[in-house]
Amino acid sequence: MRVLLTGHQGYLGTVMAPVLKAAGHEVVGLDSGLFADCVLGPTPADPQGHRVDLRDVTADHVAGVDAVIHLAALSNDPLGSLAPELTYDINHHASVRLARLARDAGVRRFLYASTCSVYGAAGGDDLVAEDAPLRPVTPYAESKVRVEDDLHELADGDFSPVFMRNATAFGYSPRLRADIVLNNLVGHALLSGEVLVLSDGTPWRPLVHAADIARAFTAALTAPREAVHDRAFNIGSETNNVTVAEIAGQVAEAVSGSKVVITGETGADPRSYRVDFSRFRAAIPGFDCEWTVKRGALELADAYRKFDLTREDFDRRFTRLAVLRAASDAGAVDDTLRWRP
């Protein structure tokens, strides 16, 4: 199968591309390259692809493609809140435009990287399934809800959108992100000796390893149409439904000599939800996540040591908001996050 992978030079795309290739697929990348240089360790061998802004995709980019895996986005809540109008322009409008172009080009399956943060303020200890009310509390999560709604309207007998609501990702990727919870806490523990939690530690977080996300998308790519057509799936494992305080405890065990420090200075986070992941396991018999939070913390600690992670790189090169601010300050991108000529 010929697969267009958007965001192939991002945190998840860099992990997913070789998994897709190992499964026998031909992978064509599409990425603006904003984070292509955010590499920790050896430079990854990217698939051939298009260096293009998602907002500038044309019919030529989807010609001859069997399926699209759409990861590209302004990828977390701080980025979304920095410029909400850009979040909706890129994450929502450009995503739906890509899907329309794909449908018109005869692409049959469109796997969309949504997020469990669409449940935002779900609260409580009950497991949240895909039919639960959506309560996004950030522009990032709201943009994901809007795309799901619009892709549902595009679904027909020949075009199958699938909404992959990923839990919060963790784990080593050659293109590291340090601004997601487990990756961040492990880095702080190694660099400072403290597992620093700014909230009160009580919110629930569902976590999933980048490699398990890659395996889930690869499985959904070739699943029977009737199993996935126009359906939403939570991607993760109930084992990894943990509170922020529990995540911090796992990190302290993985990084010897570190200690948990919960400041509570940001108060209780309204984003709190425990998630039910059984629908995807039912749709894809035999699939289950392989990575636990503890194993991921150990993997990250090993990678950070092996590749000599520094405080400057941790705070700047591997934090998405800092990367974009640096590019803007240097005049490399304009105020719409497009590369300057």
Side-chain angles (χ1 to χ4, degrees), residues 155-232:
D156 59 26
D158 297 315
F159 182 71
S160 294
V162 186
F163 316 115
M164 306 286 278
R165 293 178 181 169
N166 301 318
T168 299
F170 68 87
Y172 171 71
S173 165
R175 287 191 175 93
L176 182 70
R177 282 186 60 188
D179 50 9
I180 42 184
V181 61
L182 186 65
N183 298 11
N184 183 268
L185 292 179
V186 173
H188 273 296
L190 275 171
L191 294 168
S192 72
E194 293 185 343
V195 187
L196 185 62
V197 178
L198 300 182
S199 74
D200 63 6
T202 61
W204 286 98
R205 285 287 183 277
L207 301 187
V208 62
H209 195 284
D212 283 328
I213 293 176
R215 291 174 53 247
F217 274 73
T218 302
L221 197 61
T222 56
R225 181 181 184 274
E226 61 273 14
V228 298
H229 173 73
D230 196 25
R231 299 185 73 193

Side-chain angles (χ1 to χ4, degrees), residues 54-57 70 84-101 110 112 142-144 146-147 150-151 154:
L54 185 63
R55 293 164 287 186
D56 299 328
V57 170
H70 180 36
E85 69 284 357
L86 284 180
T87 297
Y88 295 122
D89 190 23
I90 296 170
N91 290 11
H92 176 207
H93 300 298
S95 294
V96 176
R97 181 172 172 273
L98 170 67
R100 288 197 181 99
L101 288 170
F110 190 98
Y112 175 59
E142 175 65 30
S143 73
K144 296 292 187 177
R146 294 185 185 187
V147 175
D150 289 347
L151 293 189
L154 295 178

Side-chain angles (χ1 to χ4, degrees), residues 33-151:
L34 284 171
F35 307 109
D37 295 332
C38 300
V39 175
L40 180 68
T43 301
D46 295 325
Q48 291 189 335
H50 310 286
R51 176 62 70 91
V52 62
D53 191 290
L54 185 63
R55 293 164 287 186
D56 299 328
V57 170
T58 68
D60 289 343
H61 295 118
V62 291
V65 169
D66 300 304
V68 172
I69 294 178
H70 180 36
L71 306 179
L74 286 181
S75 57
N76 67 347
D77 294 330
L79 276 182
S81 299
L82 172 69
E85 69 284 357
L86 284 180
T87 297
Y88 295 122
D89 190 23
I90 296 170
N91 290 11
H92 176 207
H93 300 298
S95 294
V96 176
R97 181 172 172 273
L98 170 67
R100 288 197 181 99
L101 288 170
R103 185 189 63 173
D104 293 346
V107 173
R108 301 189 65 83
R109 189 160 298 185
F110 190 98
L111 303 188
Y112 175 59
S114 189
T115 172
C116 283
S117 66
V118 296
Y119 304 120
D125 290 339
D126 294 335
L127 292 177
V128 177
E130 289 84 353
D131 56 358
L134 305 184
R135 298 187 176 97
V137 297
T138 64
Y140 170 73
E142 175 65 30
S143 73
K144 296 292 187 177
V145 173
R146 294 185 185 187
V147 175
E148 287 194 20
D149 288 343
D150 289 347
L151 293 189

